[in-house]
Amino acid sequence: MVYREFQDLKLSGLGMGAMRLPIIGGKDNHIDEAAAFEMVDRAMECGINYYDTAWGYHGGQSEIVMGKALARHPREKFYLATKFPGYDLANMSKVEEIFEKQLEKCQVEYFDFYLFHNVCEMNIEQYLDDGKYGIYTYLMEQKKKGRIRHLGFSAHGRQDVIERFLDAYGSDMEFCQLQINYLDWTFQDAEAKVELLRAHGIPVWVMEPLRGGRLASLFDSQESRLSELRPEEKTPAWAFRFLQSIPEVKMILSGMSSMEQLEENIKTFETEKPLNDKEMKVVLAIADELINPKTLPCTSCRYCVDHCPQGLDIPSLISLYNEHSFSDGGFLAPMALSAVEKEKWPSSCVGCRSCEAVCPQQIKISEAMSDFSKMLA
């Protein structure tokens, strides 16, 4: 197992995420405990020492099952991470209640790693309003008491949202968990976000390394190009090798739902094989091929904004449209729009086409806004 140094700790390069544990009968909140226990035991045996769960995973059952699974092992053998569920604004005034319940569910007296969960457009105001909600103050108090060993945050929001969070709390953040993979390196500005964290001296944790499994299997022609470069490497491994090429990355989390997936990933992390320049160009070219057929070529020139009678932020809406289209839905676009006034949603487009008259890319913006509204509905 590859290990990375973080402060005075040696963390396994691969961490076990507990968002996609094996389930029974297709029900997300019905975890197959026996299978999950077996996977945790195997992970421990092979040197994985980092386990990541959260309040909302598997309908609230993930923390419970991981608590049971890990309780069967010596506490000093693993590092446990969970998160304050700020993705639901109803939780913002309940930080103490939730934290105490999490300790109980996970059967531990402290968390090695604890995160502000999903800092984004929807909740940034609440996270920053410490006078009203006191989330930051409470978590810092728990850290002083030793009930949190390392405090950080995860983020799905835009770079400017992350910057606001860092401006307020950055000096106390020890790590940041981001969605990074070779597809999102440019698609979701992951590269720029990593550079931002580098400037703040904050190490990077990775979630969604395979983009929800999308990068585990490619088109035959794309897999052939990768095989020519590394015949021994399977397709999912390329996503992990890409991440091993980023110096700031200290932890790569994978939500594995079967023993087969676990064994494959363990084999990959027996060695560290970062990509060379030629290999990097190939995987990024493949990312472009995956994205382009489903996305609009907006360059954010903003000519359209000046000509929109509704004052819509069209480039931002197209960016969300692209994400929603590529992902065939998902939570990111609705989450971001929840922080935007309804009058500025794509449904407010009146179809006047004034924006299209000045678009250098000749994008049919009015049609995109109509399609986006239908997808969201």
Side-chain angles (χ1 to χ4, degrees):
M1 175 61 61
V2 169
Y3 290 89
R4 296 285 180 93
E5 291 186 2
F6 170 75
Q7 297 184 18
D8 59 341
L9 306 179
K10 289 188 69 173
L11 304 178
S12 54
L14 174 65
M16 182 174 177
M19 187 174 73
R20 298 185 178 96
L21 295 171
I23 58 176
I24 297 173
K27 297 180 180 180
D28 188 59
N29 64 350
H30 193 181
I31 299 171
D32 185 336
E33 289 195 8
F37 287 9
E38 187 179 1
M39 288 177 66
V40 168
D41 291 348
R42 179 59 177 159
M44 287 278 190
E45 180 184 1
C46 294
I48 294 177
N49 61 15
Y50 192 99
Y51 299 84
D52 173 272
T53 183
W55 178 261
Y57 292 173
H58 285 288
Q61 296 301 303
S62 177
E63 289 177 326
I64 294 172
V65 172
M66 290 304 291
K68 292 178 180 177
L70 292 170
R72 298 155 55 251
H73 297 270
R75 184 65 180 90
E76 67 274 11
K77 294 294 184 181
F78 63 87
Y79 302 113
L80 177 61
T82 194
K83 314 167 185 78
F84 173 75
Y87 55 82
D88 183 347
L89 297 183
N91 293 329
M92 289 300 186
S93 60
K94 304 175 183 177
V95 60
E96 181 175 1
E97 173 189 341
I98 288 173
F99 185 83
E100 295 295 341
K101 186 64 177 178
Q102 287 176 308
L103 289 172
E104 178 185 329
K105 290 169 69 177
C106 292
Q107 301 185 38
V108 293
E109 295 182 353
Y110 65 90
F111 293 114
D112 301 279
F113 294 85
Y114 198 87
L115 297 82
F116 292 78
H117 198 174
N118 189 20
V119 174
C120 64
E121 293 81 355
M122 176 191 69
N123 57 29
I124 184 63
E125 301 299 337
Q126 288 80 4
Y127 269 143
L128 296 185
D129 193 346
D130 198 52
K132 182 175 182 179
Y133 299 105
I135 299 168
Y136 165 79
T137 294
Y138 179 80
L139 296 182
M140 288 298 292
E141 288 175 354
Q142 304 318 302
K143 186 179 177 186
K144 290 178 182 176
K145 294 177 180 178
R147 303 171 90 200
I148 294 173
R149 300 294 168 87
H150 301 283
L151 184 62
F153 69 106
S154 68
H156 281 288
R158 297 190 310 266
Q159 184 173 342
D160 63 299
V161 173
I162 298 173
E163 286 177 341
R164 289 186 63 195
F165 188 84
L166 290 173
D167 286 344
Y169 305 137
S171 61
D172 293 308
M173 295 298 107
E174 298 176 73
F175 64 103
C176 174
Q177 192 162 303
L178 293 174
Q179 178 170 314
I180 307 177
N181 49 68
Y182 62 80
L183 191 147
D184 286 317
W185 194 236
T186 55
F187 190 44
Q188 283 200 14
D189 292 326
E191 181 178 16
K193 294 173 184 177
V194 169
E195 290 177 357
L196 173 64
L197 294 171
R198 181 191 305 128
H200 282 264
I202 297 176
V204 175
W205 267 225
V206 172
M207 55 183 161
E208 297 293 354
L210 292 169
R211 239 297 180 150
R214 181 64 185 85
L215 302 180
S217 177
L218 303 172
F219 296 114
D220 289 344
S221 60
Q222 295 167 338
E223 293 192 351
S224 294
R225 283 151 61 192
L226 296 178
S227 294
E228 289 177 4
L229 296 169
R230 295 190 185 187
E232 77 287 356
E233 208 83 90
K234 293 188 177 180
T235 300
W238 280 90
F240 295 119
R241 300 306 186 201
F242 170 80
L243 296 168
Q244 288 180 346
S245 309
I246 304 172
E248 291 76 18
V249 170
K250 298 293 185 182
M251 170 56 56
I252 301 172
L253 298 168
S254 182
M256 297 162 281
S257 55
S258 69
M259 185 65 78
E260 180 183 4
Q261 292 175 1
L262 175 63
E263 294 288 3
E264 287 264 339
N265 290 348
I266 288 172
K267 185 176 180 180
T268 297
F269 279 85
E270 287 176 353
T271 56
E272 190 152 14
K273 297 179 181 179
L275 306 183
N276 59 37
D277 290 343
K278 180 180 179 180
E279 293 166 338
M280 184 68 75
K281 288 179 181 177
V282 171
V283 298
L284 293 178
I286 289 173
D288 286 339
E289 294 167 10
L290 294 172
I291 294 167
N292 288 337
K294 288 192 172 184
T295 59
L296 300 175
C298 177
T299 61
S300 296
C301 68
R302 303 190 70 81
Y303 296 159
C304 54
V305 176
D306 294 334
H307 290 74
C308 178
Q310 300 296 92
L312 303 182
D313 187 349
I314 295 171
S316 293
L317 292 176
I318 290 179
S319 176
L320 293 175
Y321 170 84
N322 283 340
E323 164 61 34
H324 212 55
S325 297
F326 181 84
S327 302
D328 293 323
F331 71 94
L332 289 179
M335 178 185 71
L337 283 171
S338 68
V340 178
E341 298 175 5
K342 285 288 182 71
E343 310 88 74
K344 303 299 181 182
W345 281 33
S347 55
S348 295
C349 173
V350 296
C352 69
R353 300 184 186 276
S354 296
C355 54
E356 296 175 14
V358 296
C359 177
Q361 310 304 320
Q362 300 182 341
I363 298 171
K364 295 179 179 179
I365 298 170
S366 59
E367 293 180 15
M369 294 300 102
S370 177
D371 290 344
F372 197 7
S373 297
K374 292 175 182 176
M375 287 191 287
L376 292 169

